[in-house]
Each structure stands twice: as C-alpha cells, then as structure tokens.
Amino acid sequence: MMGSQRHQLRAIVMQTMFAWEFRGGDAEAILSYNLVNGAPLIEDRAFSLKLLQNLMRHRNEIKETIKKYATEWAFEKIAPVDRAILQIGIAELIYNEKIPDLVAINEAIELAKEFGGESSSKFINGVLSSIYDDKNAK
C-alpha cells in the first residue's frame, strides 16, 4: 500500500478516535462510517482497522504513556485532536513492530501539521521523540 493511502487511513483513524472520545459507542462502526465517507477509493482498509484495534486494546497504557511524557499538560487539557494523534503515534511506536519508529513519529507530525493547532506538531514531536529516546536507550 502506498504511503499516501496509509497517511489518509491514519487521518481517518484520528477522526474516528476524536468522534469516539466525544460520542462513545462502537469505535469500529465509527471507523467504517468514516472510511465509506472519507476514503471511498481506498480498497485495502485492513491497515486502519488493525491500527484502531491496536489503539483500543492498549488505550489505558497509551493514556498513561501520554500522562508520563506530556508532563506539562493534564491529559484532559490536551487538545482532542492532539490527543488522538498522540494515541496513534504511540500505538505505532510502542505496540506495532511492523511500523518503523521514525515513520510512526513522522506520520504523527504530519497529521499534527494537517489537523492540529499552530504548536501541535512541535508538541507531538517532543512527546514522541522522548518516548523514542527512552525506548531505544534500553
């Protein structure tokens, strides 16, 4: 699958997490709806489903990781879009061996530039880079 399709699928997972956080419900059903409406031309959607399932499976650990590394912000005070992007970045960085670490970080930064606020990309880069450094110091 081409990188741009994966980027688009990550964006849809981010939108899914954003919607799920506000509405609750079935995250996979929200993803299906978002895929039909947001990426109708992408046929291989397994990547986005696996990413979402991985993220939901490790949701509590990911939240604790964000709290640990984004020390200057209370979890609830982080912008919802930034939180969703961080969750994707951490899910790929820590819980998916198939995605190279730097790809996970770069993709999250690109999502932040596209969807986040003015300082989102620097914030996300800082948090994910710290996680990366600690992960690779072991």
Side-chain angles (χ1 to χ4, degrees), residues 93-112:
L93 192 58
I94 299 177
Y95 301 106
N96 187 340
E97 296 300 317
K98 292 180 181 166
I99 304 291
D101 290 350
L102 298 179
V103 170
I105 294 170
N106 286 333
E107 280 294 324
I109 292 168
E110 288 305 311
L111 288 172

Side-chain angles (χ1 to χ4, degrees), residues 42-90:
I42 297 179
E43 291 178 20
D44 181 6
R45 298 172 176 180
F47 175 82
S48 59
L49 181 60
K50 285 179 187 158
L51 176 56
L52 180 69
Q53 289 170 337
N54 195 18
L55 208 159
M56 295 302 278
R57 186 177 315 116
H58 297 288
R59 194 167 77 241
N60 294 331
E61 299 99 304
I62 290 170
K63 183 176 181 177
E64 291 308 311
T65 302
I66 292 171
K67 287 179 179 179
K68 178 181 173 185
Y69 286 92
T71 50
E72 65 280 3
W73 293 95
F75 183 80
E76 293 72 24
K77 299 276 188 224
I78 297 171
V81 168
D82 291 354
R83 239 186 350 247
I85 294 168
L86 274 176
Q87 290 171 330
I88 291 170
I90 292 168

Side-chain angles (χ1 to χ4, degrees), residues 13-21 52 55-56 59 84 87:
V13 171
M14 180 211 65
Q15 292 161 350
T16 299
M17 288 306 297
F18 184 85
W20 179 82
E21 195 172 282
L52 180 69
L55 208 159
M56 295 302 278
R59 194 167 77 241
Q87 290 171 330

